[in-house]
Amino acid sequence: MNILEVKDLNISFQDGASCKRVVKDVCLFINENEFVGLVGESGSGKSMLAYSILGILPRAARIEKGKILFGPNDMCALPEKDMRAIRGKGISMIFQEPFSSLNPVLSIGDQIGEILTVHEGLREDIAKRKVWEYLDIVQIKDPERIYYQYPHQLSGGQRQRVMIAMAICLKPKLLIADEPTTALDVTVQAEILALLRKLKEDLDMSVLFITHDFAIINEMVKRIYVMKEGKVVEEGSKDDILRHPNELYTQRLIMAARNILGDIGSGQDAGEKYVVEAKGLSKYYGVERGILKRDVKKVLAVDNVDIAIRERQILGLVGQTGCGKSTLGRLLLGLEIPDSGNVLVKGKCLSMKKRFFLSGILQIVFQDPYSSLDPKMKMGDIVLEGLGDKRMPRDRKDGILRETLSKVHLEYNEKDKYPHQFSGGQRQRIAIARALAVGPQFIVLDEPVSSLDVLIQQDILHLLRDLQGDIGMSLLFISHDLRVVRSFASYVCVMHEGRIIESGPVDEVYENPKEPYTKRLIKSIPAL
Amino acid sequence: MRRLAVIGMGIIAILIIIALLAPVIATHDPTEINLKEAYLPPSSGHYFGTDGLGRDLYSRIVYGTRIALMIGIVALGIATIIGIALGSIAGYFGGKADSIIMRFVDIMLCFPSFFLILSVIAFIGPNILNVMIIIGATSWMGIARLIRAEVLSLKSRDFIVASRALGRSNFYIILRHIIPNGIGPVLVNFVFGVAAAILTEVALSFLGLGVQPPNPSWGNILIEGKEAMAVCWWIVMFPGMAILVTVMAFNLLGEGIRDMLNPRLRK
């Protein structure tokens, strides 16, 4: 018996004068105690669909036609008062960003307890015991202590557990999980997924799991819907879809999840000489207090690291959030001054004074293409920024611009547009072009695809590999995504708490990790 | 919301035209004394009437527009330049420079600014130039704080780091990246500040420490009309209206720009 049925649902979004349809003729059902996956790239309408099921669509969105049947009720026609009774008790939801979904001024106990006292009418002392019980169910250690803490005192994983506890404490029949692990580190992600699997066994509920990543839901669901541009383009059993995807779009999503870069050149082979070498590199951040701003505490971000990158080498640097990998990347470029140790660039010592002359050799590409481009500058000026004010004839500069843009597949005649007029992927291409324009020999790629859409990630990775093959520069690829690193880099360093704990050729490290931490990381990769 | 800003901008445009074309628009010499025509009510010969010395009020207010706008804009121009320079240095370089500049800002903010202006004017003597400089030199602190906060949030943005990686100098980065991106709130502050500066000048003139007669400023027209206010309403009414409309126009424009810059209100 199905508990939810969506029939011919159409949702349109009012954006100024124009009206855009974001969900088109979607049909979907979920059986009792069933885990269903809803897969699609961002902007495919999957979150809108979820919001409409809960009746929490943004004001600009409107259900044009269709039915959302939950038991005997049509959620589209239900008055707000009855809808509120269903939310939480009938259907509940967990979100991607657990920090922004929790109220920062309420303690964890108050937030969960409030739900129980309001909805169930429980006495406070009984609610308190219930909260402990649920914190225990979501496997939070020491629930008595967590009960009195505030969201900012918890880690990302603990916050997501609290969110799950809030979502299940009224025993809903249907739980909607909207990318619940996307914002989390890989090991934490594995723990949360394991928790959700366990809850499936223990509790009596159905789950609609929304994601862009086939690998994450692989072990959890039997049935999958694939969404593209507001339409369900494919549905069926997981095994069928994984084995014989009908749509090219589904194939590409599966490829992205397996992280197969496809049949492209493996880039140029690494040479013998080192481009950048660092010995005993350390960097700490001081915690300042008082009027005189004296350091009262030192936090080591990078702790006595030796690292060397050969000519034409693609070196992957993996580690969890806050392990110091970005700081290491910046130290290698001379953008941060090390507190001890030194960096040799082509055998010469890198110092802050010489930084200017090295900008033609060392470059960087950032994670977020929305903050790495100056919104007030035109695209052409951004790309040419590194050429400086050198007296160079106009047509020479123009030639460099043309050549660089063609390398990253951008149109020359768009050079007068501003960054906001480009899409995320195009913006990342602009950032890459800016680094390439000065003809560097070593580029630090700091999470270059992490904030991009799955399918665009693949495009950018292909582009980077092609460029490396053509030009033959060295790349330091910093990422928390172990799957991407595996397919992209040839050599990998694993970083943990400021230290490089293991390094070697990619296949060797991934197949035979030696350190326990590396083993844990590798084991956490969702397999497909 | 937007319509009010346009109205404000229209009024300011008209005021600027009046200021520029004052000799053409005025019907009399604003300083010409004609005791035979003292205290005349508004008529076709004198649109706004005359004051106690028989000077044509309409012409005096027209010339007063020049002084009001000049003081407002130049004073705030001075304040903005000082504010941007000190604020961006404090924000961008941080550390000691930041501590020293911001403590200086705190000290400046401790003085009640109007009395500071009064006492300095009392020393260096009241004239238009001094009034502009002293208003400018006492109203930059807010702008410095504002731009420092902008710089602090911009400084950690990736495009600034990218620019450093490309070998650009600090001076270039401040000029090319930070100021264009951080200028929005400063512009709003500038417009509001002009209104405040005009009011400050009026208050100074009212106390006799602003623009000195016979130069016509709205403030000193007001004080000269004070004694005759009970019988000759026009002497205080018209300059009062001029001040009200001008200050309101700048405030409307400032509010409009602020709303335009706030992405949450834009739709």
Side-chain angles (χ1 to χ4, degrees):
Chain A
M1 219 197 91
N2 57 33
I3 59 157
L4 178 84
E5 188 168 7
V6 176
K7 280 184 185 165
D8 291 323
L9 188 70
N10 282 278
I11 300 173
S12 63
F13 211 90
Q14 198 78 34
D15 185 17
S18 66
C19 189
K20 218 177 114 199
R21 201 176 279 179
V22 289
V23 172
K24 298 168 193 158
D25 302 320
V26 166
C27 293
L28 174 150
F29 67 91
I30 298 170
N31 290 320
E32 262 180 16
N33 294 331
E34 190 187 23
F35 267 50
V36 174
L38 181 62
V39 189
E41 60 181 335
S42 54
S44 60
K46 50 193 199 313
S47 288
M48 279 301 147
L49 178 61
Y51 293 156
S52 72
I53 294 171
L54 260 183
I56 52 168
L57 281 172
R59 202 159 288 182
R62 202 168 56 83
I63 295 177
E64 283 186 322
K65 69 177 206 272
K67 281 186 174 146
I68 300 169
L69 298 171
F70 180 71
N73 302 311
D74 181 1
M75 299 292 283
C76 303
L78 218 55
E80 176 66 21
K81 198 172 135 265
D82 299 339
M83 194 99 89
R84 267 206 298 270
I86 291 181
R87 280 181 215 140
K89 260 187 148 150
I91 311 175
S92 66
M93 187 159 176
I94 47 180
F95 299 88
Q96 173 173 346
E97 194 35 83
F99 192 52
S100 56
S101 330
L102 289 170
N103 186 341
V105 298
L106 285 182
S107 74
I108 300 302
D110 286 346
Q111 294 197 42
I112 307 177
E114 188 189 21
I115 303 173
L116 292 167
T117 48
V118 171
H119 277 267
E120 304 260 85
L122 292 182
R123 281 215 331 264
E124 281 202 17
D125 52 331
I126 300 176
K128 187 172 180 178
R129 226 168 306 139
K130 275 256 179 197
V131 172
W132 285 352
E133 207 175 289
Y134 275 103
L135 287 176
D136 194 46
I137 289 176
V138 296
Q139 297 166 354
I140 281 185
K141 283 173 213 135
D142 205 357
E144 285 87 349
R145 192 172 54 88
I146 299 287
Y147 184 93
Y148 294 105
Q149 291 198 316
Y150 288 86
H152 70 269
Q153 294 172 297
L154 307 186
S155 69
Q158 282 174 319
R159 282 184 212 131
Q160 196 58 291
R161 284 170 199 274
V162 169
M163 278 302 296
I164 295 173
M166 285 171 80
I168 62 170
C169 69
L170 294 174
K171 301 201 179 70
K173 293 197 176 65
L174 174 65
L175 175 70
I176 300 173
D178 189 1
E179 304 255 10
T181 61
T182 310
L184 303 174
D185 262 329
V186 59
T187 48
V188 184
Q189 167 174 300
E191 286 165 21
I192 296 287
L193 291 176
L195 171 67
L196 285 171
R197 275 200 297 273
K198 188 173 171 297
L199 291 178
K200 180 196 172 187
E201 306 294 325
D202 298 351
L203 299 171
D204 185 22
M205 66 175 179
S206 309
V207 173
L208 178 65
F209 201 111
I210 301 174
T211 182
H212 63 269
D213 190 344
F214 270 102
I216 285 179
I217 52 170
N218 183 31
E219 286 175 43
M220 238 184 286
V221 304
K222 288 255 150 41
R223 227 151 44 75
I224 287 176
Y225 290 87
V226 181
M227 266 185 102
K228 182 194 180 188
E229 289 164 12
K231 285 193 205 123
V232 169
V233 290
E234 203 156 351
E235 60 174 291
S237 84
K238 178 195 76 191
D239 296 332
D240 281 354
I241 288 182
L242 283 182
R243 229 170 284 147
H244 313 289
N246 291 324
E247 298 274 324
L248 179 68
Y249 172 74
T250 317
Q251 282 173 26
R252 291 184 63 202
L253 282 174
I254 294 172
M255 292 258 282
R258 290 194 174 128
N259 222 292
I260 298 167
L261 279 179
D263 195 20
I264 54 160
S266 55
Q268 294 190 15
D269 288 333
E272 285 299 307
K273 276 192 221 148
Y274 291 114
V275 177
V276 174
E277 260 180 293
K279 285 204 181 82
L281 221 48
S282 290
K283 172 85 188 169
Y284 71 85
Y285 289 106
V287 179
E288 292 169 348
R289 287 276 158 76
I291 307 171
L292 297 172
K293 297 203 170 163
R294 260 192 304 231
D295 290 349
V296 292
K297 211 169 96 185
K298 288 178 182 180
V299 180
L300 268 172
V302 173
D303 186 3
N304 197 14
V305 163
D306 296 329
I307 191 170
I309 297 108
R310 292 170 193 276
E311 280 179 334
R312 301 188 296 279
Q313 189 177 38
I314 305 182
L315 178 64
L317 181 61
V318 295
Q320 289 185 279
T321 314
C323 72
K325 53 192 195 305
S326 285
T327 309
L328 177 58
R330 289 180 189 203
L331 285 171
L332 292 178
L333 294 182
L335 290 171
E336 302 260 7
I337 311 164
D339 290 308
S340 67
N342 57 2
V343 179
L344 298 176
V345 178
K346 307 194 96 185
K348 290 194 193 82
C349 195
L350 173 68
S351 69
M352 284 312 268
K353 271 185 199 151
K354 289 190 205 136
R355 176 76 200 90
F356 177 79
F357 303 100
L358 289 168
S359 59
I361 300 177
L362 312 174
Q363 273 310 313
I364 183 162
V365 174
F366 298 92
Q367 170 175 1
D368 181 6
Y370 286 87
S371 86
S372 68
L373 304 179
D374 186 339
K376 296 274 160 77
M377 270 171 98
K378 289 176 181 165
M379 183 266 260
D381 295 336
I382 292 174
V383 173
L384 292 180
E385 192 182 343
L387 297 183
D389 310 313
K390 283 177 212 154
R391 302 238 174 275
M392 199 185 273
R394 169 88 46 89
D395 51 325
R396 235 321 291 276
K397 273 190 174 178
D398 229 41
I400 294 176
L401 182 61
R402 255 173 218 283
E403 195 192 325
T404 316
L405 289 182
S406 78
K407 276 184 200 157
V408 297
H409 313 301
L410 282 170
E411 293 294 326
Y412 172 78
N413 53 26
E414 290 185 313
K415 72 177 164 67
D416 288 330
K417 284 190 181 172
Y418 288 92
H420 71 267
Q421 294 169 290
F422 293 93
S423 69
Q426 283 175 319
R427 290 169 134 253
Q428 197 59 303
R429 283 166 199 271
I430 297 171
I432 293 169
R434 171 175 59 190
L436 283 180
V438 295
Q441 296 171 22
F442 173 55
I443 304 182
V444 171
L445 304 165
D446 192 354
E447 305 261 12
V449 295
S450 301
S451 64
L452 301 175
D453 237 9
V454 249
L455 297 181
I456 294 160
Q457 281 192 10
Q458 297 285 303
D459 292 346
I460 296 290
L461 290 172
H462 275 262
L463 174 73
L464 288 168
R465 270 288 266 285
D466 289 348
L467 285 171
Q468 203 275 336
D470 292 345
I471 304 168
M473 64 272 194
S474 315
L475 300 177
L476 178 68
F477 190 93
I478 301 175
S479 181
H480 69 277
D481 189 336
L482 290 125
R483 281 181 282 168
V484 175
V485 170
R486 173 156 210 185
S487 65
F488 190 83
S490 52
Y491 201 84
V492 66
C493 295
V494 181
M495 206 162 169
H496 182 50
E497 288 175 356
R499 292 196 184 137
I500 289 184
I501 55 165
E502 189 161 359
S503 61
V506 167
D507 290 332
E508 216 175 288
V509 173
Y510 276 68
E511 301 297 335
N512 277 316
K514 291 193 178 60
E515 294 290 321
Y517 177 76
T518 320
K519 279 181 190 155
R520 209 151 64 85
L521 270 186
I522 306 281
K523 234 181 79 190
S524 310
I525 305 174
L528 188 64
Chain B
M1 262 328 199
R2 210 51 83 70
R3 213 173 57 223
L4 287 175
V6 173
I7 293 172
M9 202 140 82
I11 295 173
I12 291 168
I14 293 168
L15 287 171
I16 290 172
I17 292 169
I18 290 174
L20 290 176
L21 299 180
V24 184
I25 293 172
T27 50
H28 294 73
D29 180 344
T31 55
E32 186 189 78
I33 295 171
N34 185 349
L35 291 170
K36 266 185 259 165
E37 294 193 340
Y39 296 125
L40 288 182
S43 66
S44 60
H46 300 284
Y47 300 139
F48 293 171
T50 60
D51 65 6
L53 296 173
R55 291 175 297 198
D56 180 53
L57 266 180
Y58 169 72
S59 306
R60 285 180 71 73
I61 287 172
V62 165
Y63 274 90
T65 312
R66 278 189 160 180
I67 288 172
L69 288 188
M70 187 166 75
I71 287 181
I73 291 168
V74 173
L76 254 289
I78 295 170
T80 305
I81 291 169
I82 301 174
I84 287 183
L86 291 180
S88 50
I89 290 171
Y92 189 79
F93 294 103
K96 281 223 177 70
D98 185 28
S99 299
I100 292 170
I101 291 172
M102 291 330 281
R103 290 306 79 74
F104 182 49
V105 166
D106 292 342
I107 292 167
M108 288 295 287
L109 283 171
C110 288
F111 295 110
S113 69
F114 194 72
F115 290 98
L116 185 65
I117 295 172
L118 276 184
S119 35
V120 176
I121 288 283
F123 274 110
I124 61 176
N127 61 49
I128 297 178
L129 185 72
N130 285 351
V131 168
M132 289 190 300
I133 292 174
I134 191 68
I135 293 178
T138 51
S139 51
W140 54 268
M141 292 83 75
I143 296 173
R145 279 193 166 171
L146 210 63
I147 197 113
R148 174 177 173 270
E150 285 289 317
V151 172
L152 281 179
S153 81
L154 281 169
K155 192 168 70 165
S156 58
R157 296 272 290 277
D158 288 339
F159 65 83
I160 305 288
V161 186
S163 198
R164 284 174 55 214
L166 290 163
R168 306 317 302 257
S169 64
N170 289 330
F171 183 67
Y172 172 93
I173 291 172
I174 291 179
L175 217 60
R176 191 67 208 264
H177 291 301
I178 289 186
I179 291 179
N181 280 292
I183 203 74
V186 176
L187 193 69
V188 176
N189 199 297
F190 179 86
V191 176
F192 282 132
V194 169
I198 290 173
L199 282 178
T200 306
E201 186 278 324
V202 169
L204 281 175
S205 292
F206 197 80
L207 296 173
L209 287 167
V211 176
Q212 294 302 299
N215 284 328
S217 95
W218 294 342
N220 64 30
I221 299 173
L222 264 182
I223 187 167
E224 285 164 15
K226 199 178 64 180
E227 278 88 46
M229 192 164 67
V231 277
C232 307
W233 55 268
W234 56 89
I235 305 182
V236 288
M237 168 86 171
F238 290 110
M241 287 295 287
I243 295 164
L244 177 79
V245 169
T246 310
V247 170
M248 189 187 68
F250 277 102
N251 281 335
L252 285 179
L253 178 66
E255 233 161 85
I257 300 175
R258 187 172 58 193
D259 292 348
M260 240 155 59
L261 289 171
N262 187 343
R264 262 174 290 179
L265 289 174
R266 198 164 21 187
K267 253 286 150 185

